[in-house]
């Protein structure tokens, strides 16, 4: 269903869908098994210009006037092939690069944003800490002003792209008592002394996208690598995360679609009691319920993206999109697993990967309950 897509957007969708079918999907199971960062694929997609969807041509970007619907198409299609790979791209091509584009100097944009858009550098965004997850204002990583810059000391956890990143945008506080208002964003080059990947965490979801624990021991960050004001700039980044929520919704939609497509085909192919299992009403009802969830998620996610394209604030819509798409896709994947019977539990069928991966959008970018909290505040509760 293409209610929100014009002819150019549909053409964009056809191109990225072909790349996913020919290049990403055939490797997705192997990537899930190895858990390795697919550097070649990452560079290839960068070479095709897809990391520039949100950025002007001057930096190698696409120069789109209304980029968010395009970005949703990209995220949905990639996640249909591999949510792990899509999560790498999503973190890189919006969350990590957006701060440099929005608050970095021209020199910083040339040094990091331009090669990142080409896929030559990988970016990450590190906010979460062992004791500060949903409560981001509680972060303890300190930024102490010194001559010519800052010294950062602290620890981050769950940083996507953390083990492979060439640069990490780090949220650090100059004054913990000021909570969110005391937090700034700092670009740390991964080659800087004192920066260390403490460990790569083992997880059951999105295997080829890493989650790292990072440590910062008096890491020197020059003044020019501060992204925005010394204090309070994280509030801007926090607002930007609102838009990232719709890309996470699109990731959920993509994996839900993959699970639905696989289950529909399986229901037509698999025979029991002398007929395809899709002839049994119980299976039909599951498939129809799955489709209903996906259509709802698609309509609402693209609606929120089109509002973002109009420059409208989407705090409530982005949170609702993430709830509808992430929780909905997880339900779709559970039903898909059920339709596959015992084969659903076998690693040779990707449906178990879809289900495992569908948990990521329910947490990444804020849990579904935190999204509910955001909407409740918007309702004045
Ligand atoms: C695979 C993965 C990749 C990630 N990538 C990144 C990344 O690149 N960069 C980054 O900075 N972070 C990243 N994160 C971190 C992610 O944003 C956090 O995990 C998330 O915000 C939740 O924080 P937490 O895990 O500490 O859970 P907690 O905040 O401890 O929450 C635990 C439970 O309590 C609930 N809860 C907490 N507070 C409230 C409240 N006020 N009201 C109601 N319920 C509440 C939550 O909904 C949840 O169910 C990633 C996480 C994962 C799993």
């Amino acid at each position: 269903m293409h209610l929100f897509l014009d002819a150019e957007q549909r053409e964009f969708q056809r191109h990225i869908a072909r790349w996913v079918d020919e290049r990403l999907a055939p490797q997705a199971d192997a990537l899930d098994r190895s858990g390795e960062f697919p550097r070649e694929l990452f560079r290839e997609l960068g070479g095709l210009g897809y990391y520039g969807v949100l950025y002007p041509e001057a930096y190698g970007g696409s120069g789109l006037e209304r980029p968010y619907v395009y970005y949703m198409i990209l995220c949905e299609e990639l996640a249909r092939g591999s949510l792990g790979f899509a999560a790498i791209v999503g973190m890189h091509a919006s969350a990590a690069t957006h701060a440099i584009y929005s608050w970095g100097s021209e020199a910083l944009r040339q040094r990091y944003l331009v090669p990142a858009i080409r896929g030559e550098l990988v970016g990450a965004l590190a906010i979460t800490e062992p004791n500060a997850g949903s409560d981001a204002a509680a972060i303890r990583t300190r930024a102490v002003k010194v001559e010519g810059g800052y010294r950062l000391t602290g620890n981050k956890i769950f940083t996507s792209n953390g083990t492979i990143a060439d640069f990490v945008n780090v949220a650090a506080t100059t004054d913990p008592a000021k909570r969110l208002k005391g937090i700034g964003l700092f670009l740390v080059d991964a080659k800087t002394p004192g920066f260390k990947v403490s460990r790569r965490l083992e997880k059951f979801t999105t295997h080829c996208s890493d989650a790292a624990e990072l440590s910062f021991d008096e890491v020197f960050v020059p003044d020019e690598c501060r992204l925005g004001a010394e204090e309070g700039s994280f509030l801007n980044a926090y607002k930007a995360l609102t838009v990232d929520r719709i890309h996470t919704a699109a990731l959920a939609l993509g994996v839900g679609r993959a699970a639905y497509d696989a289950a529909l085909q399986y229901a037509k192919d698999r025979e029991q009691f002398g007929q395809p299992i899709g002839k049994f009403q119980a299976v039909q009802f599951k498939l129809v319920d799955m489709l209903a969830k996906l259509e709802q998620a698609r309509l609402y996610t693209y609606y929120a993206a089109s509002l973002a394209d109009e420059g409208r604030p989407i705090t409530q819509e982005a949170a609702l999109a993430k709830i509808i798409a992430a929780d909905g896709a997880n339900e779709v994947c559970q039903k898909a697993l059920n339709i596959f019977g015992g084969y659903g539990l076998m690693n040779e069928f990707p449906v178990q990967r879809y289900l495992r991966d569908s948990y990521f959008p329910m947490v990444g970018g804020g849990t579904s309950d935190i999204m509910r909290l955001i909407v409740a505040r918007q309702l004045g509760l």
Side-chain angles (χ1 to χ4, degrees), residues 91 124-130 132-135 157-161 203 205-206 209-211 360 363-370 373:
M91 177 49 68
L125 173 70
I127 301 168
T128 307
E129 298 181 0
S134 302
D135 184 10
I157 198 164
F158 298 155
T159 310
S160 301
N161 296 354
K203 56 183 167 46
T205 182
T206 52
S209 159
D210 62 355
F360 170 88
V363 177
T367 65
S368 295
D369 280 346
I370 293 302
L373 213 67

Side-chain angles (χ1 to χ4, degrees), residues 82-137:
S82 159
L83 202 150
F85 183 78
I88 295 171
V89 171
M91 177 49 68
H92 172 78
S94 67
T97 39
H98 176 265
I100 304 174
Y101 172 63
S102 298
W103 304 295
S105 64
E106 188 54 31
L108 221 54
R109 288 173 175 183
Q110 293 298 334
R111 194 164 359 130
Y112 291 99
L113 178 65
V114 171
I117 286 176
R118 287 200 295 258
E120 292 162 8
L121 294 182
V122 184
L125 173 70
I127 301 168
T128 307
E129 298 181 0
N131 294 314
S134 302
D135 184 10

